[in-house]
Amino acid sequence: MGRYILKRLMLLVPTLFGIILINFVIVQFAPGGPIEQIISQMTLGSMSTTAGISGGGDFGVDVGSAEGTYGLDPALIADLERQFGFDKPAHERFFTMLKNYMVFDFGTSYFQDRPVLELIIERLPVSISLGLWSLLLIYGISIPLGVAKAVRDGTRFDVWTSTVVFTGFAIPGFLFAIFLIVMFAGGGYLEIFPMRGLVSDNWADLSWPDRITDYLWHMALPVTALTIGGFATLTMLTKNSFLEELGKQFVLTARSKGLNERRVLYRHVFRNAMLIIIAGFPAAFVGILFTGSLLIEVIFSLDGIGLLSYEAVIKRDYPILFGTVYIFTLIGLFMHLMGDLTYVMVDPRIDFETR
């Protein structure tokens, strides 16, 4: 297994290179870069918005003949190009970016004038908290529920749980988040939970038990809103996977030998049925961690990675955009590797090295 892990780790380098290259090329043709946005603000009389912007790195697109379009001094345009690093050829910017990324140097944000790595580290705990707790709840409830539905297929329990699960799936997460705020966060009725933030303002002054309580108090509503729609797919996937395995010949043979249902279910069926569920874990983790929580972060005023990357796309803040893509990809690749290792833990008969 060690040789397989080493091979997968070595494949990280060309995979990261390919993903960054594709995104870099796409950005070259994307209209409305950071310089265009600044020029637009300047032509609208917002000259002060450029005062706090510092040089940021080696990203983005060429502005072309912006001076001809906007009627600005060509020297000013050239100065902006040098400030953002756009006076260099695209291939030079790309390879400089790769060299910096090898040491996790993502440059400085164009519009926040702070190191991108500092911004990511600052906001990563929020996204990890939302994603991790949500996945623990989704998997911790959906798998036992799916197994129970498979064993009781067609019964009243199966029918009413399916109704509840699909009702939750039909409600958009952001709409349920608004409902929770109105009902339980002082939005109109009860004021039990806070409306915003990951922790209270006096969190640093609290004792550790109080810190944990305060953290869970703030996370209760966002995590509930994020997970409410995630049960249906995994629950039904678990149910159908177990139903398929329960109908196979080896299960009938095990039952004919006198094994009880619990032993048949968890000793023989569980390993095979769980493989397809484990296969979707990396994608589910990355999806919830960085994209699924975007609206939840906005509604509950949580400064996470999803919100940071969304704002970077809107503002064309290329250092943040490429930095978050790099982190997304790196975590996603490691999660796929962890998924393969979990395969072996669930079913030791799987041997990736021989394939």
Side-chain angles (χ1 to χ4, degrees):
M1 194 64 184
R3 187 172 60 183
Y4 173 76
I5 295 174
L6 180 61
K7 183 171 68 175
R8 287 290 299 271
L9 292 175
M10 292 176 64
L11 286 173
L12 289 179
V13 177
T15 305
L16 283 171
F17 176 84
I19 292 176
I20 294 174
L21 176 61
I22 292 172
N23 283 274
F24 187 86
V25 171
I26 292 174
V27 164
Q28 303 310 302
F29 299 98
I35 293 182
E36 284 88 340
Q37 293 202 12
I38 294 175
I39 293 174
S40 178
Q41 293 173 359
M42 292 170 64
T43 56
L44 292 174
S46 302
M47 297 289 292
S48 60
T49 58
T50 62
I53 301 174
S54 66
D58 309 290
F59 311 90
V61 297
D62 297 325
V63 295
S65 57
E67 66 274 10
T69 303
Y70 297 97
L72 297 177
D73 185 2
L76 175 61
I77 303 300
D79 183 61
L80 286 174
E81 289 181 355
R82 286 192 299 271
Q83 201 172 13
F84 285 100
F86 296 159
D87 57 326
K88 303 174 184 177
H91 69 276
E92 184 177 338
R93 298 199 306 271
F94 177 72
F95 286 108
T96 301
M97 181 178 69
L98 288 181
K99 183 180 68 174
N100 293 334
Y101 277 26
M102 292 178 64
V103 293
F104 287 87
D105 180 9
F106 303 129
T108 304
S109 168
Y110 289 161
F111 298 97
Q112 299 190 45
D113 196 21
R114 293 177 60 191
V116 174
L117 184 60
E118 179 182 314
L119 289 170
I120 292 176
I121 293 175
E122 181 182 287
R123 300 201 181 193
L124 197 57
V126 176
S127 295
I128 289 179
S129 296
L130 287 174
L132 189 59
W133 286 114
S134 299
L135 276 183
L136 287 176
L137 283 175
I138 291 174
Y139 274 78
I141 296 175
S142 295
I143 292 176
L145 181 59
V147 173
K149 286 172 67 61
V151 174
R152 299 172 177 83
D153 183 41
T155 63
R156 294 179 61 184
F157 172 81
D158 183 34
V159 173
W160 74 260
T161 52
S162 295
T163 303
V164 173
V165 165
F166 283 108
T167 300
F169 180 73
I171 302 174
F174 72 92
L175 187 61
F176 192 74
I178 295 173
F179 170 78
L180 291 176
I181 289 177
V182 172
M183 293 297 298
F184 303 109
Y189 293 92
L190 303 176
E191 192 172 352
I192 301 175
F193 297 97
M195 293 183 63
R196 63 187 67 233
L198 189 63
V199 293
S200 298
D201 294 335
N202 64 335
W203 187 81
D205 300 327
L206 301 175
S207 61
W208 274 109
D210 290 336
R211 288 184 181 183
I212 296 173
T213 302
D214 181 76
Y215 166 76
L216 296 176
W217 181 50
H218 281 76
M219 291 299 298
L221 294 188
V223 169
T224 301
L226 189 58
T227 57
I228 193 66
F231 293 114
T233 303
L234 186 59
T235 299
M236 299 310 297
L237 178 64
T238 304
K239 175 190 173 182
N240 294 333
S241 180
F242 272 82
L243 279 177
E244 182 181 355
E245 294 297 324
L246 287 170
K248 290 185 177 179
Q249 186 63 41
F250 75 91
V251 176
L252 300 177
T253 303
R255 286 171 174 167
S256 66
K257 291 182 178 180
L259 298 180
N260 60 57
E261 279 298 312
R262 186 177 183 86
R263 186 177 179 84
V264 170
L265 187 64
Y266 292 103
R267 183 69 180 270
H268 297 277
V269 175
F270 186 81
R271 286 181 178 178
N272 294 334
M274 284 298 294
L275 291 179
I276 190 173
I277 299 168
I278 294 173
F281 180 82
F285 179 79
V286 175
I288 288 182
L289 189 62
F290 297 118
T291 58
S293 61
L294 173 59
L295 290 176
I296 303 300
E297 290 177 5
V298 173
I299 293 172
F300 288 97
S301 299
L302 299 172
D303 292 329
I305 290 292
L307 183 58
L308 178 66
S309 59
Y310 173 75
E311 292 173 346
V313 172
I314 297 300
K315 296 179 179 179
R316 302 297 195 270
D317 199 336
Y318 293 131
I320 293 180
L321 180 60
F322 282 108
T324 52
V325 166
Y326 184 84
I327 295 297
F328 293 173
T329 305
L330 197 59
I331 293 179
L333 292 173
F334 274 109
M335 287 306 302
H336 280 288
L337 177 59
M338 293 300 297
D340 289 347
L341 297 180
T342 310
Y343 276 155
V344 179
M345 292 174 59
V346 174
D347 192 347
R349 294 173 297 177
I350 296 177
D351 185 5
F352 289 104
E353 286 192 354
T354 59
R355 299 190 177 186

